[in-house]
Amino acid sequence: MKFNENASLDPSRSSSGGGSGGGRIAVGGVGGLILILVALFFGIDPTGILGQSGDTGNTGQNTLQNCTSVKATETNPECRFVVYENSLNNYWAAALQDYHSPKQFTMFNGQIQTGCGTATSAVGPFYCPADESIYLDESFFTTLQQQFGAASTPAVEAYVLAHEYGHHIQNQIGVLDRVQQGGTGAGSPAVRSELQADCFAGVWFANASKDPNGPIAEVSKQDILEARSAAEAIGDDKIQQNTSGRVDRESWTHGSSAQREKWLLAGYTSGDPNKCDTWSARDLG
């Protein structure tokens, strides 16, 4: 993935360094990793599963506040996330009528208070519709690489953030609340929501470099291969097979490896968010 070195950035909705390393929460501890596998991994928290709600907390130095140009990525690698965020906002502002960006993208350490409750690294990246914000623990990509075998590259970082933006789009177009219908399984509302977010991520990849003044200059075939590999690595079936030695389709919440890869590619090959209607699709893959 190549960046446009002459592009400026707006870090006003980005923050990093928040949270604290101490304490435990209701879903937390080391055992909270299981929650990643069944509930929030690359997901959303529309029902307050994180615990008691509270005001968004963010302490510590904001290391993204100086990411005002793409060149800042040379000295602060975390500025890459502001690049992705700005590009995502640019695309969706052009593609979706009356679009408004997430109120905040926060990278945190340890744990943090959100509009959906207290979050720790155990829950993985997620979108909170209560405060229309995206949260990402800074250790997540190490976990993704070491425990799930996905590469830790800019393309994978971009895929993760683009997926969470997909949930924000769902919230705006009024389909996110369908997840609250409940249920699990290969054709459940939860799976359809996650696959649509994957598809929206693919759509963004297809369009990210089309703006000559945007912060992303090129998305290569290798970038797409890396994003596909990440999608495949966190399919419900693969995670279940690796953790329990068996696959239970009826408990799926995010979709199989094949489904996630299929819908990411559907978005990328079409470049059209209208091709991401997983809600009416009979065959999810």
Side-chain angles (χ1 to χ4, degrees), residues 103-262:
K103 292 182 179 178
Q104 191 74 15
F105 164 62
T106 301
M107 298 178 69
F108 66 94
N109 292 301
Q111 69 181 46
I112 194 169
Q113 287 292 328
T114 80
C116 292
T118 306
T120 70
S121 57
V123 301
F126 70 96
Y127 172 72
C128 175
D131 59 18
E132 295 189 318
S133 296
I134 294 169
Y135 298 90
L136 171 64
D137 179 79
E138 294 182 6
S139 67
F140 168 73
F141 292 100
T142 299
T143 301
L144 186 64
Q145 183 178 34
Q146 294 180 351
Q147 298 191 26
F148 297 94
S152 181
T153 67
V156 174
E157 295 170 349
Y159 161 57
V160 171
L161 189 56
H163 176 99
E164 299 309 331
Y165 261 77
H167 289 309
H168 180 63
I169 298 303
Q170 290 174 325
N171 195 28
Q172 290 196 32
I173 64 178
V175 300
L176 190 60
D177 57 359
R178 296 183 187 183
V179 180
Q180 298 186 39
Q181 296 171 6
T184 60
S188 65
V191 167
R192 291 179 185 275
S193 172
E194 297 302 330
L195 296 181
Q196 186 176 49
D198 279 337
C199 187
F200 284 157
V203 169
W204 169 73
F205 270 118
N207 291 280
S209 62
K210 291 184 178 179
D211 180 359
N213 298 315
I216 294 180
E218 179 184 352
V219 175
S220 69
K221 291 182 179 180
Q222 181 62 31
D223 293 325
I224 301 305
L225 286 174
E226 291 167 357
R228 289 174 60 182
S229 176
E232 189 271 340
I234 43 81
D236 282 329
D237 55 339
K238 186 168 184 177
I239 292 174
Q240 289 177 338
Q241 187 65 49
N242 290 342
T243 56
S244 66
R246 60 186 295 270
V247 174
D248 178 15
R249 290 175 57 90
E250 297 306 312
S251 66
W252 289 0
T253 57
H254 285 64
S256 69
S257 293
Q259 287 176 323
R260 301 200 70 163
E261 188 174 8
K262 171 185 174 177

